[in-house]
Amino acid sequence: MAESNYRIKTIEWQGDEVVMIDQRVLPLEEEYIHHTTWQEVADSIRTMVIRGAPAIGVATAMGMALAAMQSNAEDYQSLRADLDAAAQGLFETRPTAYNLGWALDQMKKIYGEPGEPGEIRARMKERSQEILEEDIAMCMAMGEHAAPLFPEGARILTHCNAGALATGGYGTALGVIRSVFRRDPSIHVYVDETRPFLQGARLTAWELQQEGISCCLITDNMAGYFFKKGEIDAVVVGSDRIAANGDVANKIGTYTVSVLAREHGVPFYVAAPTSTVDLGVPDGDHIPIEERPTEEVTCMMDTQVAPHGIAVCNPAFDVTPHENVAAIITEAGVHREPYTESLAEAKKGKD
Ligand code: MRU
């Protein structure tokens, strides 16, 4: 991994246990949760112990490996039945993150063909570790491709957390920021707090602070003020799913930032591995948007702030149309319009 002050491991194997840092309690507490079953992993994905599309993909792969180890099936057909059930359970946890389905496909390549159960178990665990390592390598490649896009002393706005915590390590959008910072320590980052789950305030601010990258935290509704004052030179965000035409699903509020960026002539960049690109959906209208529990909106952390019984909407993601996106950066390079062609090219030979 590149020189980094980042010391927290988002997710890793410790023997036959999958260990995750609990992102619900960061940055005030640093707690780790040990998982020995796929059901526990599914629960941790659903409840946001681990979140961020690439990290969800890694957790899914490890969850499937745990399912293989949990199963005491002695023949291929029984193992296959156990694994299909686990795959369905994991698939139902979070619908927008494409990396989840991608990781299931990767694991199915191993257990989808008849084989000796012991060998399948070993290979699935090995592959889940490879997926973690490949994810870090992809993030670092994105950082290298994207860094030259930013002017000296760039003031960069980011939304949500697309950092080491949201990936195997290093980060997509935050990985780009890390790479820009290594070339030019004079950059400054505006961090949207990202209501309702506060991934920006709790996680991005924390990661940047740990690395000594100059940053300031703003509430989501302050972004327009800073665009209008000419204090933002570029935006970089991650993504949960990118459609074939370049429409980008990301954390709720990203679309608003993209409109502000377009209005003010500021480039809006998206950094995501090709495992986030879903060529199976033609455009953003076909991306499923997760609706999350109402308490995330009515409460700030555990404190109720809205009237009891109030009606609430809580879509977790929105879609930024490709027209608002200056470039999509994957591990394969910097992709621009027409995205239908450039993304298809980026995905060639990847799945
Ligand atoms: O609901 P979350 O926290 O899982 O949403 C995460 C995001 O929207 C991230 O921006 C996205 O997954 C990219 S993470 C590298």
Side-chain angles (χ1 to χ4, degrees):
M1 193 160 169
E3 356 63 87
S4 163
N5 296 331
Y6 192 76
R7 67 188 170 84
I8 301 292
K9 288 223 162 66
T10 306
I11 180 167
E12 66 176 346
W13 282 106
Q14 282 181 17
D16 283 345
E17 296 183 350
V18 174
V19 182
M20 302 175 196
I21 191 164
D22 187 348
Q23 301 194 28
R24 299 167 305 179
V25 298
L26 280 171
L28 302 180
E29 290 163 51
E30 196 177 309
E31 284 176 9
Y32 293 84
I33 299 184
H34 292 240
H35 305 75
T36 54
T37 68
W38 72 262
Q39 291 91 340
E40 289 167 352
V41 170
D43 212 45
S44 281
I45 295 173
R46 194 179 305 106
T47 59
M48 313 272 274
V49 168
I50 192 158
R51 30 69 46 203
I56 291 171
V58 173
T60 300
M62 291 185 175
M64 286 301 292
L66 282 180
M69 286 146 73
Q70 262 172 276
S71 165
N72 45 26
E74 287 173 8
D75 61 278
Y76 172 73
Q77 286 310 334
S78 317
L79 179 64
R80 169 79 196 249
D82 287 345
L83 290 174
D84 281 342
Q88 187 57 32
L90 285 158
F91 184 71
E92 285 166 3
T93 54
R94 296 204 66 193
T96 305
Y98 183 60
N99 304 61
L100 194 163
W102 177 88
L104 289 175
D105 286 347
Q106 296 296 307
M107 299 313 263
K108 197 160 187 181
K109 279 186 187 163
I110 300 167
Y111 74 84
E113 294 295 323
E116 199 277 308
E119 277 169 25
I120 291 176
R121 288 187 181 98
R123 182 67 195 120
M124 285 177 73
K125 184 176 180 194
E126 197 178 77
R127 180 70 189 121
S128 69
Q129 177 63 23
E130 285 167 10
I131 287 173
L132 170 72
E133 286 164 17
E134 285 166 11
D135 187 69
I136 296 170
M138 288 192 287
C139 286
M140 296 182 71
M142 277 178 245
E144 287 307 303
H145 294 312
L149 298 171
F150 294 79
E152 203 185 321
R155 295 155 304 172
I156 305 168
L157 183 132
T158 191
H159 189 76
C160 197
N161 172 267
L165 289 165
T167 60
Y170 203 66
T172 56
L174 263 198
V176 167
I177 289 171
R178 285 190 161 97
S179 295
V180 177
F181 174 72
R182 283 205 179 106
R183 294 176 177 214
D184 174 11
S186 73
I187 64 167
H188 179 74
V189 183
Y190 286 94
V191 180
D192 269 358
E193 71 170 344
T194 319
R195 273 283 285 154
F197 204 68
L198 303 176
Q199 289 94 330
R202 296 187 302 105
L203 309 175
T204 301
W206 183 68
E207 286 198 39
L208 290 169
Q209 200 177 48
Q210 294 220 338
E211 293 238 8
I213 300 175
S214 166
C215 62
C216 72
L217 177 63
I218 60 173
T219 63
D220 300 331
N221 52 356
M222 292 176 190
Y225 172 84
F226 290 103
F227 273 107
K228 188 148 187 297
K229 281 184 36 157
E231 291 189 15
I232 294 169
D233 302 307
V235 176
V236 61
V237 295
S239 174
D240 294 83
R241 191 183 297 227
I242 300 175
N245 71 341
D247 289 352
V248 172
N250 192 46
K251 181 50 54 194
I252 192 77
T254 303
Y255 168 66
T256 317
V257 174
S258 81
V259 173
L260 282 168
R262 194 185 54 195
E263 170 72 16
H264 294 276
V266 169
F268 179 97
Y269 299 118
V270 176
T274 49
S275 50
T276 302
V277 178
D278 181 4
L279 297 182
V281 295
D283 56 48
D285 291 343
H286 292 80
I287 297 177
I289 300 295
E290 177 184 3
E291 187 75 23
R292 290 201 54 88
T294 56
E295 296 73 36
E296 289 181 359
V297 176
T298 55
C299 300
M300 288 286 276
M301 305 313 288
D302 286 334
T303 307
Q304 178 88 20
V305 292
H308 289 284
I310 191 76
V312 169
C313 300
N314 188 14
F317 303 97
D318 58 27
V319 174
T320 295
H322 62 93
E323 294 87 351
N324 291 4
V325 179
I328 296 174
I329 300 108
T330 72
E331 75 278 11
V334 176
H335 316 291
R336 298 194 189 260
E337 294 271 22
Y339 291 113
T340 317
E341 289 168 25
S342 57
L343 291 177
E345 186 63 28
K347 282 284 272 189
K348 254 188 201 151
K350 295 280 184 187
D351 290 342

